Amino acid sequence: MCGIVGYIGVRQAQPVLFSCLKRLEYRGYDSCGIAVAGSRIEICKDAVRVAALEKSAPQLAGATGIGHTRWATHGAPSLINAHPHPDCSGKIVVVHNGIINNYQSLRKQLTAEGHQFISETDTEVIPHLVEKYYRGDLEKAVEATLKEIDGSYAIIVLAANESKLIVARRGGPLIIGVGDGENFIASDVPAVLDYTNRVIYLEDDDMGVITADSVKVKRDGVEVSRKEDKILWSMEDAQKGGYEHFMLKEIHEQPKVIRDTLIGWVSLSEEEFDLASMCGGIESMLILACGTSYHAALVGKYIMEEFLSIPIRVELASEFNYYAQALAKTGAIVITQSGETADTLKAMKKLKSVGCRVLAITNVLGSSASRIADHTIYTRAGPEISVAATKSFVAQLMVLYWLAVSYSRVDARRLADMIIQIKQLPEKVQQVLDNEDKIIESARYLSKFENVFFIGRGINYPLALEGALKLKEISYIHAEGYAAGELKHGPFALLCEKTPVIAIVAKDSTYDAMLSSIKEVKARGSPVIVLTEEGDEAVEELVDTVITLPQVDPVLSPVVNAVALQLLAYYVARKRGCPIDFPRNLAKSVTVE
Ligand code: G6P
């Protein structure tokens, strides 16, 4: 995910571009850049945040320009890979949000034709293609370029001596902010709200020609009309896409995150990533992580032990660093959303020092974890702003399912069924999101308590830990996650009508034991809320409050349960008036031990 902006009008473009870009940093911020057309096109870019580039940039004179803030997908965050990207002559410059699938073959072909590439990005083929087709008509050159590229994009093309900007979109958002004698282009509305509240939303396959006084939109070469909307939201609302908090927005992005991470599998297999050789025959595996990523690692243990039939050891990186032995022949996986958690990085170095091969699962391209690891698999969650991890957790689970399925030793029928069910997960998660009434009702009830237990068994025991973590970090209610069978070895002393218990039930081998645990808890007077799949009559007869979730294979139940538990924590915290996105004393990325 990246943010793109464009300006054409009467003002100096540079300050406008920087101010617009700052509003888009939620879409990515590992590097940024601008290009301004004056007597010639000048580019200023670097692997820094927008405010830093704004401070260090020389003054580029001109009233037309484009800008970009990057969330790297192809090529690490660096000055060379930052946008805008020029053609050979420096007269055609492009910013791009999206992924060009066929960039490798295009790059090969263009190189053979004499074009020189300097970045590792997929984007760079676009200015070179425009250059190839440019015969004095920029519009035609862009049209020809779009016919060649396969993938998702929102682009803005700036060319020397042309008093227009060309835009196009397919699968990437793009809006035009309409002004008087000036026009703005951006990935999202907040970027332009300081200047105008008149907005045109472009549709997929639209191509636009934007001058200071006009907006012309074409599809398949034929001009079409697009209506202008008036924006009535505040800036903050707009950045959160209309959601009250980033956390809620990020929870709702999960069907897309699952889809995007599934698409990631394809590109991964193209690289012929081989877990078996990477991890030395994988007869055992060590998974290390912290926080929510540690809970994903615990789920990973259940998934991989079932599908790979090998013993998996899971350790907290912070503990592993001080006592545990790293065995040279063990394959190791580290899971870290940010790729910067100090304890996790330290553990990686310890593993490498004894000769372990390390696979990192991270959400941030070019992060420290990806640089230390022998191989990296990227989750496709996009930037996560809220401190409480939500979509990154589900994306990590998706990668673990992928690894398990790819190296599976289960029979072909079970495997085929699993693949079908994994592909259905975006819809199942959407169903959880569309049916949140019962969750909101339970959240209202829970918000009055000061202590809550979460219980689960088997693959959903880590979900009890994660449910409790989510609740305590954003609502400040004391919550503990427990393996259901362990409750009777101490915590029973705390059970009473003031201590509700959330029980996560799955229709697997733990089902009967979970029902027994629920009965034992009820007998001690605790209110019980159960998460289970729809149509579970035995549970409905047993307790008053049941949050029903769509049916999925029990191995996949952590995904739907995670989403329900995130919503539960969110609505409890909202009811209690907590600062949900930025809870006290916590940080998104913990770069100290
Ligand atoms: C912090 C964050 C958590 C995260 C943990 C591990 O505590 O607040 O949400 O789970 O770090 O972070 P990582 O980036 O390594 O997954």
Side-chain angles (χ1 to χ4, degrees):
M1 199 155 96
C2 301
I4 64 175
V5 297
Y7 175 75
I8 183 160
V10 283
R11 311 175 200 228
Q12 282 301 306
Q14 178 168 349
V16 178
L17 295 171
F18 278 129
S19 118
C20 294
L21 282 177
K22 279 187 207 153
R23 303 285 184 197
L24 288 183
E25 275 194 302
Y26 77 93
R27 301 180 63 82
Y29 42 77
D30 56 42
S31 52
C32 60
I34 60 166
V36 174
S39 52
R40 61 193 180 91
I41 295 180
E42 287 184 280
I43 297 176
C44 174
K45 58 184 185 176
D46 204 351
V48 293
R49 297 288 293 260
V50 175
L53 190 69
E54 184 181 28
K55 231 172 166 183
S56 64
Q59 268 202 354
L60 313 181
T64 307
I66 58 177
H68 188 273
T69 180
R70 183 165 186 249
W71 181 259
T73 58
H74 291 70
S78 67
L79 189 152
I80 292 291
N81 291 328
H83 300 214
H85 287 289
D87 68 342
C88 299
S89 68
K91 288 185 179 161
I92 292 164
V93 180
V94 171
V95 287
H96 165 224
N97 166 34
I99 292 175
I100 305 301
N101 297 329
N102 59 337
Y103 81 99
Q104 275 164 324
S105 59
L106 287 171
R107 191 173 165 131
K108 217 169 170 181
Q109 180 193 323
L110 287 160
T111 306
E113 290 167 9
H115 292 258
Q116 282 176 358
F117 286 81
I118 42 181
S119 80
E120 301 160 278
T121 65
D122 52 337
T123 302
E124 208 184 347
V125 296
I126 304 173
H128 286 280
L129 282 170
V130 179
E131 179 183 29
K132 174 176 165 179
Y133 292 113
Y134 188 59
R135 308 266 182 280
D137 186 337
L138 188 60
E139 235 175 289
K140 281 213 169 102
V142 176
E143 265 169 18
T145 298
L146 297 179
K147 283 189 188 130
E148 298 253 355
I149 58 180
D150 162 39
S152 65
Y153 54 79
I155 57 166
I156 313 176
V157 183
L158 168 72
N161 309 318
E162 294 267 3
S163 49
K164 60 175 100 147
L165 293 168
I166 309 284
V167 302
R169 68 159 281 185
R170 172 177 288 173
L174 202 59
I175 61 109
I176 313 294
V178 182
D180 291 324
E182 58 182 355
N183 283 311
F184 305 80
I185 302 155
S187 298
D188 201 356
V189 172
V192 303
L193 275 187
D194 281 335
Y195 301 96
T196 179
N197 65 351
R198 293 159 58 200
V199 165
I200 295 172
Y201 293 90
L202 294 187
E203 293 179 11
D204 266 352
D205 294 322
D206 279 356
M207 192 182 109
V209 181
I210 319 297
T211 68
D213 307 301
S214 66
V215 174
K216 190 171 79 182
V217 182
K218 285 171 143 189
R219 285 173 80 82
D220 300 323
V222 180
E223 202 168 327
V224 289
S225 73
R226 291 273 171 262
K227 82 172 172 26
E228 197 180 292
D229 282 316
K230 214 168 216 148
I231 301 297
L232 304 170
W233 324 323
S234 73
M235 181 70 70
E236 225 206 340
D237 285 346
Q239 259 179 316
K240 290 174 186 155
Y243 289 100
E244 199 167 331
H245 296 95
F246 280 111
M247 182 176 177
L248 191 59
K249 175 173 176 263
E250 287 158 7
I251 291 172
H252 278 262
E253 282 170 356
Q254 290 178 116
K256 180 175 185 303
V257 167
I258 296 173
R259 261 182 224 114
D260 288 352
T261 305
L262 290 178
I263 293 166
W265 296 3
V266 179
S267 63
L268 203 64
S269 37
E270 276 168 6
E271 283 173 35
E272 286 173 4
F273 166 70
D274 183 353
L275 183 69
S277 68
M278 146 90 219
C279 297
I282 52 163
E283 287 314 318
S284 71
M285 183 78 75
L286 169 64
I287 314 183
L288 288 157
C290 297
T292 289
S293 299
Y294 171 69
H295 298 154
L298 289 174
V299 177
K301 173 181 165 70
Y302 290 90
I303 302 171
M304 290 185 139
E305 284 188 346
E306 174 172 343
F307 281 83
L308 273 62
S309 308
I310 55 168
I312 309 282
R313 183 176 141 208
V314 178
E315 300 278 356
L316 285 163
S318 53
E319 285 297 301
F320 175 80
N321 289 336
Y322 288 97
Y323 80 93
Q325 284 295 313
L327 303 171
K329 291 251 159 68
T330 310
I333 299 178
V334 297
I335 307 179
T336 166
Q337 182 278 131
S338 62
E340 301 297 344
T341 301
D343 288 322
T344 306
L345 298 181
K346 189 169 175 182
M348 290 179 85
K349 288 175 193 153
K350 178 171 166 177
L351 288 164
K352 297 276 294 181
S353 72
V354 294
C356 277
R357 307 259 293 147
V358 181
L359 165 68
I361 299 175
T362 183
N363 196 37
V364 182
L365 205 119
S367 56
S368 303
S370 71
R371 289 200 297 272
I372 300 170
D374 296 288
H375 193 95
T376 303
I377 298 179
Y378 291 102
T379 49
R380 301 276 174 104
E384 194 175 60
I385 310 291
S386 180
V387 165
T390 53
K391 59 177 181 169
S392 61
F393 174 71
V394 162
Q396 289 165 351
L397 295 187
M398 296 316 298
V399 170
L400 292 163
Y401 287 122
W402 175 80
L403 285 174
V405 163
S406 302
Y407 298 96
S408 166
R409 293 175 184 168
V410 298
D411 68 73
R413 260 182 63 193
R414 168 93 176 111
L415 187 60
D417 179 54
M418 189 51 53
I419 292 170
I420 291 170
Q421 292 222 33
I422 287 174
K423 286 184 180 161
Q424 289 169 349
L425 276 176
E427 287 153 46
K428 303 283 181 179
V429 166
Q430 192 59 53
Q431 285 171 29
V432 181
L433 297 171
D434 292 343
N435 294 298
E436 56 176 19
D437 291 358
K438 191 78 190 184
I439 298 176
I440 296 175
E441 194 187 301
S442 300
R444 272 199 214 110
Y445 173 72
L446 276 183
S447 65
K448 297 181 217 121
F449 294 91
E450 290 308 321
N451 295 288
V452 177
F453 278 98
F454 287 73
I455 57 171
R457 285 178 188 258
I459 198 165
N460 281 298
Y461 162 50
L463 268 290
L465 299 177
E466 177 59 10
L469 177 63
K470 283 290 87 82
L471 187 69
K472 77 180 107 186
E473 69 182 326
I474 61 167
S475 76
Y476 309 151
I477 292 176
H478 170 233
E480 284 193 58
Y482 250 84
E486 286 298 295
L487 219 53
K488 55 186 173 291
H489 299 298
F492 263 23
L494 296 171
L495 296 189
C496 62
E497 70 285 358
K498 286 191 180 155
T499 313
V501 175
I502 318 291
I504 306 162
V505 173
K507 283 275 181 74
D508 56 14
S509 58
T510 67
Y511 183 74
D512 292 338
M514 266 312 283
L515 261 51
S516 301
S517 299
I518 292 168
K519 284 178 198 157
E520 290 163 11
V521 169
K522 272 195 68 176
R524 270 121 197 122
S526 282
V528 181
I529 296 174
V530 176
L531 269 66
T532 189
E533 67 176 41
E534 52 209 355
D536 188 343
E537 284 167 16
V539 165
E540 275 162 17
E541 276 168 26
L542 195 60
V543 293
D544 299 331
T545 311
V546 181
I547 296 173
T548 51
L549 299 169
Q551 275 182 3
V552 292
D553 188 285
V555 175
L556 301 176
S557 62
V559 176
V560 286
N561 287 332
V563 178
L565 291 167
Q566 292 161 0
L567 287 170
L568 189 67
Y570 172 80
Y571 283 110
V572 171
R574 188 152 124 178
K575 183 79 186 137
R576 287 167 69 100
C578 297
I580 293 178
D581 285 330
F582 305 102
R584 69 183 175 216
N585 304 335
L586 299 180
K588 184 79 196 151
S589 169
V590 183
T591 53
V592 290
E593 249 186 83

